[in-house]
Amino acid sequence: MKALKLSILALLMANAAFSQTYAPLDKTPMDMAYYPDNFAHDRKFAPKKVGKEVLARITYSRTAKNNREVFGNLVKFDKVWRIGANEAPEIKFYKDATINGKKVPSGTYTLFMTPGKDSWEVILNSDLDVWGAYSYDESKNVLTFKVTPVALDTVVENLSITFDGKNEKETTFYLAWDKTSVSFPITF
């Protein structure tokens, strides 16, 4: 009986230590998109399929709609938004890129957007490792340009970002959430 009590006590202590060591599960999981799509997976498991190098990667948090009105309510119009939740997303270009006719040197940038009713501003910023848009510094903008939002017929429950590559030199960046999508071309 004494051994059973000691075992239970050890189990309770281990559980308490475990719960103090690890943070609870995040409601908005982090995700990553590559161009070319699935680059990391294919490089490992199908290296002959890849045949090209990685050109871009974005890391972001996939927040959910959860029956909320997103644009204009949860995400305010005409206010800088960090896209998603938690840390501001970071987009990495492994080669020099051209976006909206402007050259962007290879490197990592924070990606912000300012949604509007008829037009959105896309912002690449050099300030990294930022939480939300609370410390957004306009003086560190590398590139800003406008895009036109597109109304979707179906609801996208979780914020989603992807690259749709046409070839090894050009792709389109897509962001969709709720019933709205925005996109812009990138060339390398």
Side-chain angles (χ1 to χ4, degrees):
M1 186 65 157
K2 189 174 184 181
L4 178 62
K5 287 181 182 179
L6 285 174
S7 295
I8 292 172
L9 180 62
L11 183 62
L12 289 173
M13 289 174 56
N15 187 37
F18 178 82
S19 64
Q20 291 174 1
T21 304
Y22 297 98
L25 185 61
D26 198 328
K27 292 179 184 178
T28 54
M30 193 168 285
D31 200 358
M32 187 176 294
Y34 278 96
Y35 179 66
D37 189 31
N38 291 323
F39 178 82
H41 175 272
D42 292 347
R43 181 178 62 186
K44 172 78 174 164
F45 298 104
K48 291 180 182 172
K49 177 181 173 186
V50 177
K52 38 190 162 179
E53 57 194 317
V54 66
L55 297 170
R57 177 185 76 199
I58 185 163
T59 305
Y60 67 102
S61 291
R62 296 192 72 191
T63 191
K65 176 177 168 48
N66 288 332
N67 295 316
R68 301 176 288 184
E69 181 183 342
V70 175
F71 297 109
N73 188 25
L74 178 65
V75 176
K76 305 292 185 219
F77 284 136
D78 305 317
K79 186 175 178 186
V80 174
W81 173 49
R82 50 104 136 57
I83 305 172
N86 306 327
E87 295 90 346
E90 291 183 358
I91 189 165
K92 181 175 184 175
F93 298 113
Y94 292 84
K95 287 187 167 186
D96 294 348
T98 302
I99 302 173
N100 202 44
K102 296 186 176 134
K103 299 275 186 198
V104 178
S106 63
T108 304
Y109 304 92
T110 303
L111 181 64
F112 295 100
M113 292 187 182
T114 304
K117 288 182 182 177
D118 301 316
S119 161
W120 287 29
E121 183 176 43
V122 177
I123 304 163
L124 287 182
N125 188 282
S126 64
D127 196 13
L128 301 177
D129 300 313
V130 296
W131 182 268
Y134 305 106
S135 62
Y136 166 72
D137 184 350
E138 185 177 2
S139 72
K140 295 183 179 182
N141 287 354
V142 174
L143 175 66
T144 63
F145 59 94
K146 300 284 187 180
V147 294
T148 302
V150 175
L152 301 173
D153 292 333
T154 58
V155 171
V156 176
E157 176 64 28
N158 291 85
L159 173 78
S160 297
I161 295 176
T162 192
F163 296 99
D164 180 23
K166 297 170 180 49
N167 55 49
E168 291 134 19
K169 302 248 186 234
E170 63 183 310
T171 187
T172 302
F173 171 98
Y174 288 97
L175 176 148
W177 193 25
D178 195 1
K179 293 186 97 176
T180 302
S181 177
V182 294
S183 64
F184 55 86
I186 305 170
T187 57
F188 297 93

